[in-house]
Amino acid sequence: MYAELAKNEQGRYALPNGEYFTADDDIEALIKDQWIKTTVHHNNDDYYLVGFADIPMEGLIAKYPNVV
């Protein structure tokens, strides 16, 4: 399942079905019309994507790797 991420009550970025991403989780995100596989990290303030720290996770289209 891929969908738009939104911050949940625990402060993690979640898919609408309740699955969420936390530090060290693998993730695929739709960035500039391409699926990019990376990892989620936390900087003591918020979560971010490794290699794409300047792209906010809120509202990003994402999925777990290898999931259609």
Side-chain angles (χ1 to χ4, degrees):
M1 169 186 197
Y2 65 88
E4 188 174 308
L5 295 175
K7 196 177 269 192
N8 67 16
E9 293 173 356
Q10 291 82 30
R12 297 179 177 129
Y13 289 95
L15 298 168
N17 67 0
E19 293 179 298
Y20 61 84
F21 296 92
T22 191
D24 297 323
D25 281 349
D26 290 331
I27 189 173
E28 285 189 45
L30 191 59
I31 299 173
K32 296 182 182 177
D33 297 324
Q34 291 186 342
W35 285 105
I36 305 294
K37 184 177 178 182
T38 186
T39 306
V40 176
H41 276 223
H42 196 277
N43 63 9
N44 294 321
D45 182 44
D46 201 4
Y47 291 95
Y48 67 94
L49 301 178
V50 173
F52 301 92
D54 58 327
I55 296 177
M57 289 184 65
E58 183 79 29
L60 194 64
I61 302 298
K63 65 180 180 174
Y64 281 97
N66 303 318
V67 175
V68 177

